[in-house]
Amino acid sequence: MRRYLRIWRIFFTHSLIQDLEYRLNWWLNAFNTLLFLGSSALVLWVVFTQADAIGGWTFDQALTLLGVYLLIEGVTVVFLVPNLNRVPQYVRKGELDYLLLKPIAARFIVSTRYASVWWVPQLGLALAVILVGMARQGTLTAGHLGLLALMLVAAIGTLYAVWFALTTTAFWFVKVDNVSELFTAFFAAGRFPVSAYPGWVRALLTFVVPVAFLTTVPAEAAAGTLTWGWALAAVGVAALLLALSQALWRYALANYTSASS
Amino acid sequence: MTALGANWRKGRALFVHAFASMTEYRAEIVIWMISGSLPLVMMAMWIGLAADGPVGGYGAADFAAYFLVVFLVRQLTVVWVIWELDREIRLGELSPKLLRPIDPLWGHVADNLAEKAVRLPLVLVPVVAGLWWAGARLPLTFESLAGFGLLVMGAWVIKFFQQYATGLLTFWTDQAVGLERVWFSVSMVLSGALAPLDLFPEAVRGVLPYTPFPYLVDVPVQALLGRLGGAELLQAFAVQGAWGLAFVVGSRWMWRHGIRRYGAVGA
């Protein structure tokens, strides 16, 4: 475990050094995140001039949810996209052979080798929005923060498991480079609480594409309205999906017949 | 042979070639279509809000009609030329194109229009089905259809040449794609793709007609929904045309100056 942490730190430092070549990009991305936040807040404002609540959520609760959305999206862009988008290429060009030869778990290298450090400002800004939202709701206590942290970990676990499993299908379908496009399309629904949508959309977002567990559940934890049943469900879903994705990965590796030899 | 005839033949050859290669990307085009579905998410949210009665004058069916047409307009004006220019200029792939006796612009135009020809039938099916399912009826008159057609073309011209100009910035900096992201974030909201512009606060609504944004989505949509009268349509054509012309002239000017700085990496 300690060894893996050390290796991850080396990977991250490497990405950091590489990205520092493009410092202007860092500022552009920070500016862009601010703009995104401003425009999303404008949309929320437009919505709340027409209604008192969306799906039973107040403005402050919806703002906190926006922070959670930004945070999860930021984690995706910084840690998941640069790694998992490379998997189809590893398989197609047979580069996976070299990764399998390394004396650490191949899944670990595939998932952590790169990081887009440029987008780190988004993570900080997202946390700030969450904290401001919680302060305005008066729920900024250690208990709520602890539950929020746990739900965020579960959300990231769920997200990673789903994306990793979709990427693993590259072993059979090869051309799955567009997985991230599809994900972004569905994840966009996460900028509002699932209760804001008509019933069948809500069911779709909870049981088919688990967007509800990515943003609505953590934001409910921050608002102090999360029930224990949903909290347990979030952890259970994350654990189950992680286990399934690991099984799929092992099955894929067992059937892997290298493109290069 | 007349110059006009020669140009017609060149244009047709470019288009036929582009169309043949785009039909190979049918599956990808469907995925790209889905990736532009944010307006449909917003539609679901607004319909949820309107469940207990109209919101800002829009009932559930009105929101469905508005956002389905928004989806249609955005699909018909999708532009990705900046990614091509960014790659061609940075990696030197532009060099062989400069040797041809035709401006590289036309190749990009042909690619984009050919892709639209493939995409149009794929887009119309879900939009028409959605409108029918939501019980939204469009008042299809000659005025609304013709106005919509012209305004969509105008929106495409603005988007294409705005992105072409931003892409040409790669001659001077390698951050053009970042700038395009900034433009995209702003235009998503201010074009009306996330909320109908007439629901915006007064202060914002007063400034918007002087920007190019409403003419990219909201104005063409309102035209098809039959909410624009003859005089409003004419005014929209004039302002949209002026913005389109500005971006065309600006991007041509940038091309002339930028090409002198071209380093032809890898040549």
Side-chain angles (χ1 to χ4, degrees), chain B residues 14-15 17-18 81 97 100 102-113 160 164:
Chain B
L14 279 175
F15 183 83
H17 168 76
V81 70
K97 289 191 163 190
R100 296 181 197 157
I102 188 167
D103 191 316
L105 168 72
W106 300 112
H108 292 299
V109 170
D111 279 350
N112 198 296
L113 294 182
F160 186 85
Y164 206 83

Side-chain angles (χ1 to χ4, degrees), chain A residues 111-198:
Chain A
S111 306
T112 59
R113 177 62 187 82
Y114 300 95
S116 290
V117 187
W118 299 340
W119 292 93
V120 166
Q122 176 164 346
L123 300 181
L125 205 66
L127 274 179
V129 174
I130 294 174
L131 293 179
V132 168
M134 287 176 77
R136 288 178 51 122
Q137 294 176 56
T139 56
L140 198 55
T141 62
H144 287 130
L145 281 174
L147 188 59
L148 169 66
L150 181 67
M151 289 302 108
L152 283 174
V153 170
I156 292 166
T158 299
L159 172 62
Y160 166 67
V162 171
W163 200 324
F164 189 79
L166 286 174
T167 310
T168 305
T169 60
F171 281 83
W172 294 279
F173 303 125
V174 183
K175 256 175 68 176
V176 292
D177 306 49
N178 284 315
V179 164
S180 54
E181 297 278 335
L182 279 180
F183 166 76
T184 320
F186 283 109
F187 184 56
R191 45 174 85 198
F192 298 106
V194 285
S195 55
Y197 300 111

Side-chain angles (χ1 to χ4, degrees), chain A residues 54-255:
Chain A
I54 38 176
W57 289 48
T58 65
F59 179 80
D60 291 333
Q61 287 171 338
L63 185 71
T64 312
L65 180 99
L66 190 64
V68 172
Y69 175 85
L70 264 184
L71 185 74
I72 300 287
E73 202 216 14
V75 169
T76 311
V77 176
V78 174
F79 298 106
L80 295 189
V81 173
N83 290 301
L84 298 185
N85 273 10
R86 282 185 167 90
V87 173
Q89 183 199 323
Y90 292 154
V91 175
R92 198 170 53 231
K93 298 194 174 170
E95 291 168 8
L96 191 66
D97 297 10
Y98 304 106
L99 300 181
L100 290 172
L101 289 174
K102 299 253 179 354
I104 50 174
R107 179 171 184 173
F108 178 75
I109 316 184
V110 163
S111 306
T112 59
R113 177 62 187 82
Y114 300 95
S116 290
V117 187
W118 299 340
W119 292 93
V120 166
Q122 176 164 346
L123 300 181
L125 205 66
L127 274 179
V129 174
I130 294 174
L131 293 179
V132 168
M134 287 176 77
R136 288 178 51 122
Q137 294 176 56
T139 56
L140 198 55
T141 62
H144 287 130
L145 281 174
L147 188 59
L148 169 66
L150 181 67
M151 289 302 108
L152 283 174
V153 170
I156 292 166
T158 299
L159 172 62
Y160 166 67
V162 171
W163 200 324
F164 189 79
L166 286 174
T167 310
T168 305
T169 60
F171 281 83
W172 294 279
F173 303 125
V174 183
K175 256 175 68 176
V176 292
D177 306 49
N178 284 315
V179 164
S180 54
E181 297 278 335
L182 279 180
F183 166 76
T184 320
F186 283 109
F187 184 56
R191 45 174 85 198
F192 298 106
V194 285
S195 55
Y197 300 111
W200 65 273
V201 180
R202 200 181 313 161
L204 182 81
L205 293 178
T206 311
F207 300 112
V208 185
V209 252
V211 171
F213 292 106
L214 301 184
T215 58
T216 305
V217 166
E220 279 178 340
T225 56
L226 185 66
T227 60
W228 284 108
W230 278 105
L232 279 177
V235 176
V237 164
L240 178 71
L241 289 174
L242 281 169
L244 284 177
S245 77
Q246 177 65 10
L248 183 67
W249 171 248
R250 298 186 67 136
Y251 181 67
L253 281 189
N255 288 290

Side-chain angles (χ1 to χ4, degrees), chain A residues 22-25 28-29 31-32 35-36 39-40 42-43 45-47 49-51 53-55 119 175 178 181-182 185-186 188-192 196-198 200-201, chain B residues 28 31-32 34-38 41-42 44-49 55-57 133 173-175 178-179 181-183 185-186 189-190 194-196 198-201 204:
Chain A
Y22 308 96
R23 259 158 294 189
L24 184 61
N25 228 319
L28 258 178
N29 285 341
F31 178 64
N32 202 12
L35 260 181
F36 178 81
S39 56
S40 304
L42 179 65
V43 172
W45 186 37
V46 170
V47 171
T49 53
Q50 306 294 339
I54 38 176
W119 292 93
K175 256 175 68 176
N178 284 315
E181 297 278 335
L182 279 180
F186 283 109
R191 45 174 85 198
F192 298 106
Y197 300 111
W200 65 273
V201 180
Chain B
E28 276 82 357
I31 292 186
W32 296 332
I34 296 173
S35 75
S37 61
L38 182 56
V41 169
M42 299 306 295
M45 195 279 293
W46 283 106
I47 288 179
L49 267 190
V55 172
W133 184 63
T173 160
D174 52 7
Q175 310 290 340
L179 279 172
R181 286 210 183 91
V182 170
W183 170 276
S185 300
V186 175
V189 179
L190 298 185
L194 305 182
D198 43 5
L199 300 185
F200 275 53
V204 183

